[in-house]
Amino acid sequence: MADKAASPEKKSWADLEEEEEAKAKAAAEAEAASSSSSSSAVPAVDEQAKQIEALSLAPAVEDAAGEEGPPLLDDSDDSQIQAVTSGGTVYESATTFEDLKLSPELLKGLHDEMGFSRPSKIQAITLPMILTPPYKDLVAQAHNGSGKTTCFVLGMLSRVDPQRRIPQAICICPTRELAQQNKAVLMRMGKFTGITCACAIPPAQKDYMPISKMAPITDQIVIGTSGTLIKWITHKKLATRDIKILVFDEADHMLAEDGFRSDSERIMRDIQRSAGGCQVLLFSATFNERVKDFVTKVIRDGNQIFVKKEELTLEKVKQYKVQIPDESAKIEVIRDKIFEFGQKVGQVIIFVRTKQSTKNVHNALTREDYVCSSIQGSLDQSEREKIIQEFKDGYTKVLISTDVLARGFDQAQVNLVINYDMPIKFGTRDEPDYEVYLHRIGRAGRFGRKGAVFNLLCGQTDNVVMKKIEDYFQHSVPEVRNWQREEDFEAALKDAGLL
Amino acid sequence: MRVEDDDEDDTEDEDDGTSHGKSWALVAKGARFSCNDLESSDSEDELDGQVAPYRLMEKRDLAKSILLELEREHHLKVQEEVRNKLASLEVCHQNEIQRTISAFARLQKYAESRKEIDRRLDVHFQRRIAEVLDKHLSMVQRDHEQKSQIVERRIRDDAALEEAKRKEQAVKEEKLRQERARQEAEARQKEAAKLAAEARKTAFEAAKKEAAEKEAAEKEAAKLRDAAASQSSPNSQNNIAGIKVYADKYALEAESRRRALVQNQVPENIHLSKEFSKYDRQIAKSISKLMPTTDSVRARASELIKALDGQDCPRPISCYLFANKIISIVKSRNTKDKTFGNLAFACGYVMLLVTNQVPDAMDYLLAEFNRVCIYTVPKHLHALNAQARTRDYYKLIGYEEENEQLESTESYLTYVVAYVKLYAAMIQTEIKGVRHPHGLAEGWKWLAMFLNSLPATTATACALHAFLKMAGFALHKKYGSQFMKILDVISRCFLPALKEQGNKMQAEAVNNLQNYLNDKIYLEEPEGQYLVQQLLSKELFM
């Protein structure tokens, strides 16, 4: 099943670009072919247009009206997706959201609120799997920014019964930020459905309330972190008997031994004991081999979609490495080269390791009048949330952060990521954290947009780390030759589409 | 039979009397003729039975027996008489009953018929009333319609007048500008270094050469477009034959005027020339720093005004660069994201602040808008047949090329929406005490021209929705019921025309517009209309 599901997947992703490029051509042909059929509709349109003109005093411009409808290239979308349908999975992949038999309220939310016109690849393939009885479990791996959140949020929203005021879906996230982000997406998408959502995250210090005084949950969907969810379940505040669907976001992290495996297993056991036949969905952009093994053991009878690690790096996001002699030169490069020439840079995330570098970068860029947000340890929870929100609302240009935000942080305007420090596994000196690296890259180039990643390498250790990363993903990262030469950066940025 | 007559009279008198009453009266009268023994006809039989046996028991003489006989006879006679009378009375009574019944029936029938007539009359009157009311109402409606038509006509006349005025003014301005530019050039030649002048000259020459070669098609297109607009285009050029232009004449004139301005003032290969790349980068950097906060907008605006007003770069070129960079912000952002609204308004503020200080810049801005998106003119190019639907046609209507491939319609529409949003944000931006050179009135004009001359297609629907989404609130606030009329036109003419063509992408455009009208989105402020004053990120750090 895994192979079967994965192979059409691969094909579709590879085909996507070619097909998009070939779109105009195909469409022109399609148009020519359909010209005869469209001509019949035009006289009527014409009359309507005349009606419009009849309302005005301006002389009618339209006498010899068009014999054909205006060019509409969108037919090509169909052909492009049909190619996927022929892939031969047991489920029909959905070319439009309408195909999924969603409620009208949900469709309205998707189109009006979210502005989605059609499902992305991963959505087209996984949504039928999620929504078709017998509601099999699903493990899905897909590229960063390909729309996984929409998959499971939509899955939860459409499987929940809005009439019953009892928890029916649970989503577990590794961090509170992610839980809040997912909740925000869910509230927007489900705006017209009347479905409510509770956020199970540790309360801020100031509005702490003992769990025993809390009212039992009546919202249909609960999104939260594992610790709080367990607390709510054990204190019987969260009834699990009617849970129909259980989602793990960033599932590899939730099921990793050094992550939240024990918590996750406990919740899964609890829910499956009280609500038999609960559907489990695991989503992530990364699944390393060990987690993959474990997952296939836990989810025995389910659909699986995996992507090979060599194909995980995003095509549209160009990666570069720059050799830099010392720390202060890093800031110089950011300020005088990358920011100077990157005319089309939207928002930027700079990943740093220490508080001191955060401060330095922040001050240097603020002096240049770039509006920056920084996340650092001394902030309290609510301040941190507000600062992230400001960045998300597009009020600040640069976010300087540690790895807390690497995973899942969705900000559509980010098209440049700078690795001020390379991601290194905790407790080691030169062992790169591949997943974190991939997630960082994934912050740029959301939803197939162009983007760039600059890795600032300083010293031998960084070089070793970079080499290991290149080997792991089998993707050679081009180097910007001379950190002092403007032309080199110009060329790199131009290539990435940021100039 | 006097008695009978009497009786009949009596019975006739008491027409409504009961049968018991009748028989009683009858008996009472009958008593006059009978012997005294007979007190009442009721007790007659009893008396008879009692007397006879008693008299038979006693012995009587003949006379007595004869008397008895006679008496008996008489008695029988009377009895007979009474019986006859009774029978006749009975018959009479029966007749009477029949008569009353029939009279009743007649009466009832009559009442019913009266009722029926009444009903009929009622209906008739009601119909008459309704007819009169209807006539009156339709007269009132006609009156209203006439009134609204007059108002609409007046608005349109005003718009035309204003347009004419503006054109005049623009011509004057252009003359002034050209003179100024000439003066500037002279002054620069005198005082500035020779190098710059030479470079410019060569640039101009190169531009002209290129314009001659490269832009032949473009100019021809322009020619044809103008020709088509004035509806006298028998001599169409062969390379873009079969393309029909939908646009308002004024809009086209304004567009070609602006294009001519840019082409005359700005060398073609400006992006390649090293000389201007410094300014290019400076302006681009300034714009890329723009964030939707009051501080940022103010700082960027003053920075840009300085750059545009500065002495080192010729005004037309810096204006052109400014326009180009601020509008190409669409290219570097994800315009589908909700944060784009904020940014568009921020751009609107900056454009307003800058054009207020540097009035020339507005024409360059509009020229750039018109260049990147024909719907901001508003104008629609329609390929009449499949042969006309060439790559050049697509490029003409604004498709971008990348790696020798045209972009997809989806991304094309995304850009159309984004450009129109930016345009809509610009026209509605208001700052107290700052006059807008291209304000909401222009937006109203745009909307009117758009609906008057453009056909309903996916692209126009997207553009219209984007414009309404951004500017609908402001237009509704300013023009009130007139704006509602425009919406009415959209729902009555534009939407049905759009639905006629029915295909997948159109369905979405239709839905968007439909929802806009149904949900009254124009009552909601567009997202990001107000800039943020304070940022926690700024306050908290260090």
Side-chain angles (χ1 to χ4, degrees):
Chain A
M1 182 63 224
D3 288 342
K4 218 179 167 188
S7 55
E9 204 73 354
K10 237 190 295 162
K11 195 176 156 228
S12 66
W13 259 292
D15 290 350
L16 179 62
E17 271 174 57
E18 286 171 25
E19 268 164 346
E20 260 184 22
E21 280 162 13
K23 235 180 204 178
K25 232 183 188 173
E29 283 162 19
E31 196 61 36
S34 68
S35 61
S36 54
S37 64
S38 63
S39 62
S40 62
V42 165
V45 175
D46 226 48
E47 270 173 39
Q48 294 283 3
K50 269 180 188 150
Q51 259 186 46
I52 296 175
E53 266 156 12
L55 286 162
S56 74
L57 287 179
V61 189
E62 215 170 11
D63 43 328
E67 271 81 50
E68 279 175 43
L72 295 158
L73 297 182
D74 51 310
D75 296 340
S76 54
D77 288 345
D78 297 3
S79 59
Q80 170 197 334
I81 289 164
Q82 268 159 15
V84 181
T85 328
S86 63
T89 39
V90 282
Y91 298 93
E92 282 284 311
S93 88
T95 55
T96 65
F97 287 117
E98 279 74 12
D99 291 350
L100 296 164
K101 298 189 183 66
L102 303 170
S103 68
E105 292 83 17
L106 209 43
L107 283 173
K108 196 174 171 194
L110 276 168
H111 291 307
D112 281 15
E113 267 312 290
M114 307 295 289
F116 292 161
S117 43
R118 56 181 171 83
S120 74
K121 278 281 121 66
I122 181 78
Q123 289 157 8
I125 291 161
T126 57
L127 279 171
M129 295 182 179
I130 297 171
L131 300 177
T132 319
Y135 306 119
K136 282 194 176 176
D137 294 347
L138 172 69
V139 185
Q141 181 183 20
H143 294 85
N144 283 301
S146 59
K148 292 185 294 289
T149 310
T150 305
C151 286
F152 63 76
V153 166
L154 196 56
M156 290 197 288
L157 281 172
S158 52
R159 291 226 34 214
V160 153
D161 178 4
Q163 307 305 324
R164 302 186 59 207
R165 306 219 50 87
I166 190 163
Q168 295 162 54
I170 293 181
C171 172
I172 309 173
C173 313
T175 63
R176 55 181 296 145
E177 281 80 14
L178 215 47
Q180 282 164 328
Q181 178 177 297
N182 287 341
K183 186 191 167 183
V185 172
L186 186 125
M187 293 315 282
R188 272 184 79 195
M189 203 183 292
K191 187 178 171 188
F192 305 104
T193 58
I195 294 171
T196 57
C197 172
C199 207
I201 52 174
Q205 212 63 40
K206 61 178 186 298
D207 39 44
Y208 173 79
M209 185 172 67
I211 180 101
S212 53
K213 286 192 183 160
M214 203 180 85
I217 305 293
T218 55
D219 307 279
Q220 290 96 339
I221 297 176
V222 182
I223 298 179
T225 51
S226 54
T228 310
L229 280 170
I230 289 180
K231 202 166 148 192
W232 286 13
I233 292 172
T234 46
H235 284 81
K236 303 294 174 201
K237 296 298 179 189
L238 174 59
T240 53
R241 69 197 143 81
D242 274 305
I243 300 295
K244 291 184 202 158
I245 179 165
L246 174 63
V247 180
F248 288 89
D249 192 10
E250 304 298 339
D252 62 326
H253 193 50
M254 296 306 300
L255 295 175
E257 272 166 308
D258 52 354
F260 297 99
R261 182 183 284 188
S262 55
D263 281 1
S264 301
E265 279 189 297
R266 190 169 154 195
I267 294 175
M268 226 187 295
R269 252 199 335 268
D270 276 4
I271 289 172
Q272 262 158 355
R273 199 183 303 137
S274 57
C278 166
Q279 182 182 24
V280 179
L281 309 181
L282 305 176
F283 278 93
S284 184
T286 49
F287 278 103
N288 67 29
E289 293 306 323
R290 287 168 69 190
V291 175
K292 215 186 266 184
D293 286 346
F294 176 73
V295 164
T296 41
K297 260 179 243 157
V298 175
I299 308 290
R300 271 185 226 95
D301 176 35
N303 299 310
Q304 298 181 345
I305 296 170
F306 285 116
V307 183
K308 279 188 200 148
K309 69 180 185 205
E310 292 81 18
E311 287 161 4
L312 264 178
T313 51
L314 298 167
E315 281 296 319
K316 292 232 168 156
V317 179
K318 298 276 186 251
Q319 302 171 53
Y320 296 102
K321 54 185 174 187
V322 194
Q323 302 284 354
I324 288 168
D326 52 66
E327 279 271 336
S328 60
K330 283 186 179 177
I331 292 178
E332 248 176 78
V333 164
I334 294 173
R335 188 184 57 203
D336 300 336
K337 302 291 185 302
I338 300 176
F339 277 27
E340 180 76 22
F341 292 99
Q343 292 187 358
K344 292 189 179 166
V345 169
Q347 283 181 307
V348 187
I349 302 183
I350 301 176
F351 286 107
V352 292
R353 198 182 305 140
T354 66
K355 194 179 164 188
Q356 191 54 44
S357 339
T358 309
K359 204 168 174 173
N360 292 344
V361 176
H362 187 107
N363 287 342
L365 291 179
T366 308
R367 227 172 285 131
E368 284 289 306
D369 227 359
Y370 291 102
V371 193
C372 301
S373 302
S374 310
I375 305 295
Q376 32 102 338
S378 59
L379 294 173
D380 83 13
Q381 193 58 52
S382 67
E383 286 169 340
R384 196 169 110 169
E385 269 165 31
K386 266 187 207 148
I387 285 179
I388 292 174
Q389 197 53 47
E390 282 178 354
F391 183 71
K392 280 197 158 190
D393 289 342
Y395 296 130
T396 63
K397 188 173 179 71
V398 186
L399 180 69
I400 305 161
S401 163
T402 51
D403 276 330
V404 184
L405 292 178
R407 269 177 187 271
F409 182 73
D410 180 27
Q411 176 57 12
Q413 305 291 12
V414 174
N415 58 6
L416 175 63
V417 166
I418 297 173
N419 279 327
Y420 189 90
D421 293 308
M422 295 303 286
I424 287 172
K425 268 198 184 130
F426 187 73
T428 63
R429 208 175 69 84
D430 57 0
E431 190 55 34
D433 194 329
Y434 304 109
E435 275 86 40
V436 167
Y437 180 78
L438 198 75
H439 282 289
R440 283 185 181 185
I441 295 176
R443 295 321 99 205
R446 307 298 291 173
F447 303 103
R449 294 180 69 241
K450 285 178 181 173
V453 177
F454 282 91
N455 293 301
L456 308 185
L457 308 177
C458 180
Q460 200 46 48
T461 323
D462 281 352
N463 279 325
V464 173
V465 169
M466 193 68 224
K467 185 85 190 66
K468 280 183 180 169
I469 289 175
E470 285 178 54
D471 289 346
Y472 183 82
F473 292 113
Q474 297 182 8
H475 178 97
S476 95
V477 174
E479 184 170 353
V480 178
R481 290 265 164 233
N482 186 343
W483 69 276
Q484 282 168 311
R485 270 196 65 194
E486 295 184 342
E487 288 82 0
D488 288 354
F489 280 96
E490 256 186 295
L493 285 163
K494 193 154 209 158
D495 194 35
L498 296 186
L499 183 65
Chain B
M1 289 293 275
R2 225 191 96 230
V3 180
E4 269 191 31
D5 282 341
D6 248 354
D7 271 338
E8 259 194 83
D9 281 345
D10 265 353
T11 45
E12 267 180 300
D13 279 346
E14 28 183 313
D15 195 30
D16 278 337
T18 57
S19 54
H20 175 78
K22 262 190 226 165
S23 61
W24 180 82
L26 171 97
V27 168
K29 282 194 176 159
R32 270 193 273 164
F33 303 96
S34 62
C35 61
N36 291 330
D37 293 2
L38 277 169
E39 282 170 22
S40 77
S41 59
D42 285 277
S43 54
E44 183 183 61
D45 288 336
E46 289 166 36
L47 270 172
D48 205 55
Q50 271 173 359
V51 171
Y54 169 72
R55 281 172 192 170
L56 287 173
M57 296 272 280
E58 284 174 63
K59 278 190 179 170
R60 303 270 172 168
D61 54 7
L62 187 71
K64 251 187 185 174
S65 71
I66 290 166
L67 190 67
L68 189 75
E69 194 74 21
L70 276 171
E71 212 171 331
R72 221 176 119 78
E73 234 167 83
H74 175 69
H75 193 130
L76 278 173
K77 212 173 130 193
V78 170
Q79 251 182 359
E80 184 67 23
E81 237 170 284
V82 168
R83 209 168 283 133
N84 284 345
K85 187 114 174 127
L86 253 175
S88 74
L89 275 174
E90 194 120 6
V91 168
C92 192
H93 177 221
Q94 281 300 328
N95 285 343
E96 206 55 41
I97 285 173
Q98 285 296 332
R99 252 198 9 231
T100 30
I101 285 174
S102 75
F104 261 118
R106 244 183 298 137
L107 210 72
Q108 230 158 20
K109 222 181 247 171
Y110 177 68
E112 246 163 54
S113 72
R114 276 313 296 242
K115 244 189 237 167
E116 178 68 19
I117 288 165
D118 276 355
R119 207 173 52 79
R120 242 180 257 157
L121 277 175
D122 213 26
V123 168
H124 180 67
F125 281 134
Q126 268 177 356
R127 201 175 297 148
R128 283 267 303 272
I129 287 169
E131 266 169 25
V132 171
L133 194 70
D134 203 65
K135 215 189 256 171
H136 175 71
L137 278 180
S138 64
M139 255 165 66
V140 169
Q141 200 179 357
R142 208 176 306 139
D143 195 39
H144 271 282
E145 261 170 22
Q146 271 173 355
K147 267 187 201 162
S148 73
Q149 266 175 8
I150 288 167
V151 170
E152 246 169 274
R153 203 172 303 154
R154 204 176 296 148
I155 287 170
R156 258 193 218 104
D157 285 349
D158 280 0
L161 209 72
E162 226 175 298
E163 179 72 24
K165 263 190 211 161
R166 218 177 62 85
K167 250 174 57 198
E168 250 178 47
Q169 212 184 340
V171 169
K172 267 186 214 159
E173 270 178 12
E174 198 179 342
K175 268 184 196 160
L176 274 175
R177 202 175 301 122
Q178 277 173 356
E179 228 167 64
R180 206 190 298 151
R182 214 179 300 138
Q183 279 170 1
E184 255 180 34
E186 279 171 14
R188 188 156 298 121
Q189 271 183 347
K190 276 176 198 164
E191 57 184 56
K194 271 182 193 172
L195 265 169
E198 265 173 23
R200 254 186 86 194
K201 217 183 260 173
T202 51
F204 260 106
E205 270 165 22
K208 268 177 199 162
K209 226 178 249 173
E210 275 194 22
E213 293 162 11
K214 252 190 183 174
E215 273 198 65
E218 174 78 357
K219 269 182 186 160
E220 275 163 5
K223 230 186 264 170
L224 182 84
R225 251 173 274 157
D226 292 345
S230 53
Q231 291 200 326
S232 56
S233 57
N235 53 337
S236 55
Q237 302 289 327
N238 53 352
N239 60 338
I240 50 162
I243 295 178
K244 183 164 166 51
V245 179
Y246 290 88
D248 198 277
K249 209 165 69 195
Y250 295 116
L252 279 178
E253 276 169 21
E255 188 213 0
S256 57
R257 186 174 52 72
R258 288 181 202 125
R259 192 176 44 227
L261 171 75
V262 173
Q263 276 171 358
N264 292 337
Q265 300 287 329
V266 182
E268 180 70 14
N269 55 349
I270 184 160
H271 291 296
L272 300 174
S273 87
K274 274 272 172 263
E275 192 203 345
F276 300 119
S277 72
K278 197 176 85 193
Y279 310 118
D280 180 284
R281 217 189 315 144
Q282 189 189 349
I283 290 171
K285 203 169 97 180
S286 187
I287 288 170
S288 87
K289 283 181 195 171
L290 176 65
M291 288 283 139
T293 63
T294 41
D295 288 350
S296 179
V297 164
R298 216 172 287 142
R300 296 290 82 77
S302 61
E303 208 173 272
L304 285 165
I305 288 168
K306 224 159 110 195
L308 263 60
D309 245 354
Q311 298 302 312
D312 31 332
C313 182
R315 173 72 69 86
I317 288 171
S318 59
C319 283
Y320 170 75
L321 287 174
F322 164 68
N324 180 268
K325 292 302 164 199
I326 199 154
I327 290 173
S328 70
I329 206 161
V330 162
K331 292 266 166 199
S332 63
R333 304 302 167 101
N334 184 343
T335 56
K336 280 189 162 180
D337 193 65
K338 63 181 193 310
T339 57
F340 181 69
N342 295 337
L343 194 69
F345 278 108
C347 289
Y349 280 109
V350 169
M351 288 178 195
L352 178 54
L353 286 171
V354 169
T355 52
N356 198 49
Q357 294 294 315
V358 190
D360 306 1
M362 185 46 88
D363 269 328
Y364 287 90
L365 272 174
L366 292 173
E368 182 69 11
F369 265 124
N370 295 344
R371 188 182 69 81
V372 294
C373 176
I374 56 172
Y375 297 104
T376 57
V377 175
K379 173 172 89 171
H380 177 72
L381 298 180
H382 181 69
L384 295 175
N385 48 44
Q387 286 86 46
R389 234 173 256 117
T390 56
R391 174 169 293 219
D392 285 335
Y393 164 70
Y394 285 116
K395 271 160 87 175
L396 210 57
I397 63 171
Y399 277 71
E400 293 276 322
E401 246 186 336
E402 196 185 333
N403 304 329
E404 305 285 300
Q405 287 288 342
L406 285 172
E407 67 180 332
S408 72
T409 294
E410 201 177 7
S411 91
Y412 167 70
L413 287 178
T414 311
Y415 283 127
V416 165
V417 166
Y419 285 129
V420 172
K421 271 188 181 171
L422 196 59
Y423 179 73
M426 182 189 78
I427 58 119
Q428 67 172 298
T429 308
E430 275 171 355
I431 300 175
K432 247 190 195 159
V434 176
R435 199 189 69 83
H436 202 312
H438 194 87
L440 209 52
E442 296 293 325
W444 177 263
K445 244 187 259 174
W446 182 91
L447 195 55
M449 290 194 286
F450 190 97
L451 289 172
N452 279 335
S453 19
L454 268 57
T457 69
T458 311
T460 55
C462 287
L464 183 62
H465 178 244
F467 184 83
L468 288 176
K469 206 167 175 193
M470 290 299 266
F473 178 74
L475 285 170
H476 182 248
K477 210 165 80 178
K478 187 163 177 188
Y479 295 103
S481 61
Q482 297 304 321
F483 178 67
M484 300 303 286
K485 279 181 194 162
I486 287 234
L487 293 184
D488 188 45
V489 169
I490 293 171
S491 83
R492 270 191 299 114
C493 299
F494 194 87
L495 270 176
L498 196 61
K499 279 176 193 160
E500 284 289 317
Q501 307 175 19
N503 68 39
K504 207 172 267 168
M505 213 174 249
Q506 225 130 36
E508 204 195 326
V510 170
N511 277 344
N512 281 341
L513 272 176
Q514 195 91 62
N515 285 336
Y516 184 88
L517 296 174
N518 292 347
D519 299 352
K520 298 191 169 54
I521 310 276
Y522 48 86
L523 297 179
E524 294 168 19
E525 278 186 19
E527 262 179 70
Q529 202 186 5
Y530 299 106
L531 301 175
V532 169
Q533 303 277 340
Q534 288 290 329
L535 283 183
L536 194 70
S537 308
K538 250 186 183 167
E539 276 173 37
L540 272 182
F541 205 77
M542 286 138 211

